[in-house]
Amino acid sequence: MAEHEHVRVAVIGSGFGGLGAAVRLRREGITDFVVLERAGGVGGTWRDNSYPGCACDVPSHLYSFSFAPNPDWPRSFSGQEHIRAYLERVTDTFGLRPHLRFNAEVKRMTWDAERLRWDIETTAGNWSADVVVSATGPLSEPKLPDLPGLDAFPGKVFHSARWDHDYDLRGKRVAVVGTGASAIQIVPSIQPQVEKLTLFQRTPAWVLPRMDRPIGAAERAVHRALPFTTKLRRGVLWGLRELQVQAFTKHPGELGFVEQLAKRNMARAVKDPALRAKLTPDYRIGCKRILLSSTYYPALAQPNVDVVASGLSEVRGSTLVAADGTEAEVDAIVFSTGFHVTDMPIAERVVGPEGKTLAEVWSGGMQALRGASAAGFPNWMTIIGPNTGLGNSSMILMIESQLNYMADYLRQLDVLGVPPGPSGSGGGRVALDARPSAVRAWNHRVQERMKRTVWNTGGCTSWYLDASGRNTTIWPGTTAEFRRATRRVDLAEYSVLRAAGSRPEAGAESTEVAA
């Protein structure tokens, strides 16, 4: 490898996961680390997604770090610009900027089995690290459908996560493809501007009202003066969502009442029976993520909007053709078609000791011990890894649990890697590699619990499922359960790799490698 800088920890990505990892490293007294970011600023998905109407569907006080409360959220559900500004403040408050390396996209990470380290090649130079913490996130790489004729479309084409702010939609005929969380925010935001909006809907979504409101100056002043009120508010929001989990994971039939609320919400805004029929899902609510909007249905009922209840299948010049044969002439296509979630591209760039990429190992489905460690990839951890997603609460809760696990992982490496004592015990560089049996056992427990959940039994096909139909995305339990499961590293679930000549701790399995 070319000349490079060595660090103890390399963090990949500077979204919530990466910045959270950086803060936790500093709080653990670790300052020998870098955060490698492919873009020119922090924010992750909240930097990349700047489409009109972009906002979070989790309440602001729950969608923030517990160690960095924000008493000044301007709305109960914050917009993209407020969340990105929050992450910038976290970066400055915790002194993270000296650790950031912008425009440093990771091209390849290779495990050096002799030196027990990761060699990292980026667009801004090379590094090596004892430990890699991958926080690229599942919503980082847009997914575009492979459509016949798309390359020859004469108009404008972009994905919602790569919004072209230089293109003026006013007076244009615009197609929005997809009906996920971003689409229901984009449609009402652009509908008043465009001449014609055609929504290509492969599957309708369940939509509940978005109970958003401004948070007044007096309310914010109370949170600033009495910090415990912010903590109390967060606790109440968390507790309410924990109480909902059983309906999603054990008793999906209980969600029927919520379906009725969603249907009433639709009926208030959509008076046309034919349009209501198009917008009514045929699967159990919760099987796909429940969406929140008070403006989506009213926008669809406007005279300049057409809903095509069929997926887009072909492009013929400026004519879009749906699977049912419906055609629409458009000037621009906005794809709101999601991300590479179950086939994360970063996995193609991680190369283990046997020369196999993580993508190859995960070709049959993603698996990671406690959502963090993949067998055969020592000292490599992921934040928001397999089966750590949530269907009803804040991912920040899961991220913080994984940061607890990361911190204990590093403590275990410190203990195992102490310099040799007078008796010659201990010592040397060490690495931890998740045992395949432990990964299989963890994944088996997760998948067994998944069988009863609404995500597996609700009758839909969602982005939670991989190509083989297995749910490798969602955590089938409460956030409290996950926090308990990731509080400590169990060394019995790992093999300890050591440099040749060092002696393992009593009871720990060791694999010696050449120094």
Side-chain angles (χ1 to χ4, degrees):
M1 190 179 182
E3 188 173 337
H4 66 277
E5 177 186 351
H6 181 81
V7 292
R8 184 178 180 196
V9 182
V11 179
I12 317 299
S14 67
F16 266 99
L19 294 179
V23 171
R24 189 56 183 268
L25 289 171
R26 288 188 62 88
R27 295 178 77 186
E28 293 290 319
I30 298 171
T31 57
D32 182 18
F33 70 90
V34 292
V35 180
L36 303 175
E37 168 56 56
R38 67 180 178 180
V42 302
T45 192
W46 295 107
R47 175 200 59 235
D48 295 342
N49 287 269
S50 60
Y51 57 80
C54 183
C56 189
D57 60 0
V58 175
S60 304
H61 288 85
L62 193 59
Y63 199 78
S64 48
F65 291 121
S66 63
F67 53 77
N70 180 18
D72 290 312
W73 288 116
R75 302 193 66 87
S76 53
F77 289 85
S78 289
Q80 175 262 345
E81 68 277 16
H82 302 124
I83 297 173
R84 185 174 181 188
Y86 169 77
L87 290 173
E88 293 281 1
R89 287 198 298 275
V90 168
T91 301
D92 291 328
T93 299
F94 291 93
L96 304 183
R97 296 208 182 271
H99 301 279
L100 293 168
R101 303 294 183 269
F102 292 127
N103 302 307
E105 181 179 1
V106 171
K107 308 303 289 183
R108 190 176 179 86
M109 289 180 276
T110 306
W111 176 249
D112 185 332
E114 292 187 358
R115 294 180 176 86
L116 296 184
R117 73 181 192 189
W118 285 96
D119 290 332
I120 307 166
E121 302 171 33
T122 82
T123 53
N126 300 325
W127 278 265
S128 64
D130 297 335
V131 177
V132 168
V133 177
S134 179
T136 57
L139 306 182
S140 59
E141 291 294 333
K143 178 182 285 188
L144 290 171
D146 184 14
L147 293 171
L150 181 60
D151 290 344
F153 178 69
K156 192 69 178 179
V157 178
F158 52 85
H159 190 278
S160 58
R162 301 292 185 267
W163 194 270
D164 188 342
H165 291 277
D166 294 329
Y167 183 76
D168 190 353
L169 292 175
R170 286 177 296 183
K172 301 291 197 308
R173 299 167 300 173
V174 179
V176 175
V177 182
T179 52
S182 56
I184 70 159
Q185 296 175 346
I186 291 169
V187 166
S189 298
I190 68 173
Q191 174 270 319
Q193 307 170 21
V194 304
E195 176 188 324
K196 185 74 174 179
L197 193 156
T198 304
L199 178 66
F200 285 85
Q201 171 191 270
R202 187 175 58 182
T203 309
W206 287 108
V207 182
L208 291 172
R210 179 182 170 89
M211 309 303 288
D212 189 23
R213 65 174 180 83
I215 299 177
E219 195 174 346
R220 297 198 300 269
V222 169
H223 286 325
R224 284 194 300 271
L226 302 171
F228 79 88
T229 61
T230 306
K231 186 174 182 179
L232 177 62
R233 184 175 189 156
R234 178 185 174 90
V236 170
L237 292 169
W238 167 77
L240 290 173
R241 279 154 181 77
E242 291 289 270
L243 291 174
Q244 299 168 2
V245 171
Q246 281 215 58
F248 286 87
T249 59
K250 295 180 180 179
H251 308 292
E254 295 177 358
L255 293 166
F257 171 70
V258 185
E259 285 184 10
Q260 295 307 312
L261 295 178
K263 288 179 179 179
R264 287 197 206 107
N265 176 50
M266 184 195 305
R268 281 193 293 268
V270 180
K271 303 305 180 184
D272 179 3
L275 181 55
R276 280 205 307 271
K278 287 182 181 180
L279 299 175
T280 302
D282 62 358
Y283 56 87
R284 175 64 76 192
I285 194 169
C287 184
K288 290 176 177 281
R289 188 174 180 92
I290 300 173
L291 306 181
L292 304 180
S293 176
S294 299
T295 56
Y296 179 62
Y297 286 143
L300 296 183
Q302 297 305 307
N304 68 330
V305 178
D306 276 344
V307 176
V308 177
S310 181
L312 180 60
S313 65
E314 185 181 355
V315 180
R316 299 174 188 161
S318 59
T319 302
L320 305 191
V321 184
D324 65 358
T326 303
E327 297 184 359
E329 290 283 325
V330 302
D331 303 305
I333 307 172
V334 177
F335 284 105
S336 182
T337 45
F339 300 85
H340 289 275
V341 175
T342 59
D343 57 341
M344 292 188 289
I346 190 66
E348 298 173 0
R349 308 180 187 193
V350 184
V351 184
E354 297 179 0
K356 285 188 176 181
T357 66
L358 182 59
E360 290 174 315
V361 172
W362 277 353
S363 61
M366 299 191 301
Q367 297 185 48
L369 177 61
R370 303 183 189 273
S373 301
F377 296 84
N379 281 11
W380 186 90
M381 307 186 70
T382 182
I383 306 295
I384 315 184
N387 291 113
T388 60
L390 295 176
N392 74 313
S393 192
S394 172
M395 279 305 303
I396 313 306
L397 302 168
M398 302 296 278
I399 288 171
E400 290 196 28
S401 292
Q402 292 199 287
L403 298 182
N404 290 339
Y405 196 72
M406 176 198 76
D408 196 54
Y409 190 103
L410 292 167
R411 292 187 206 111
Q412 297 292 345
L413 289 178
D414 282 343
V415 171
L416 294 168
V418 295
S423 65
S425 62
R429 187 187 295 271
V430 298
L432 294 175
D433 187 8
R435 295 175 185 266
S437 58
V439 176
R440 285 194 300 270
W442 171 262
N443 188 66
H444 177 74
R445 291 196 297 272
V446 168
Q447 294 302 324
E448 282 298 304
R449 293 184 63 177
M450 197 72 73
K451 290 178 179 179
R452 297 173 57 185
T453 69
V454 69
W455 307 300
N456 279 37
T457 65
C460 73
T461 300
S462 73
W463 57 267
Y464 300 149
L465 309 180
D466 65 15
S468 63
R470 196 172 57 138
N471 192 326
T472 58
T473 305
I474 296 292
W475 168 245
T478 66
T479 62
E481 285 179 289
F482 189 74
R483 177 155 293 210
R484 288 193 296 271
T486 53
R487 193 176 300 278
R488 296 282 185 272
V489 168
D490 181 358
L491 285 180
E493 295 181 328
Y494 287 87
S495 295
V496 180
L497 311 183
R498 294 179 176 278
S502 61
R503 189 174 301 172
E505 300 295 321
E509 179 179 307
S510 171
T511 302
E512 293 193 348
V513 299

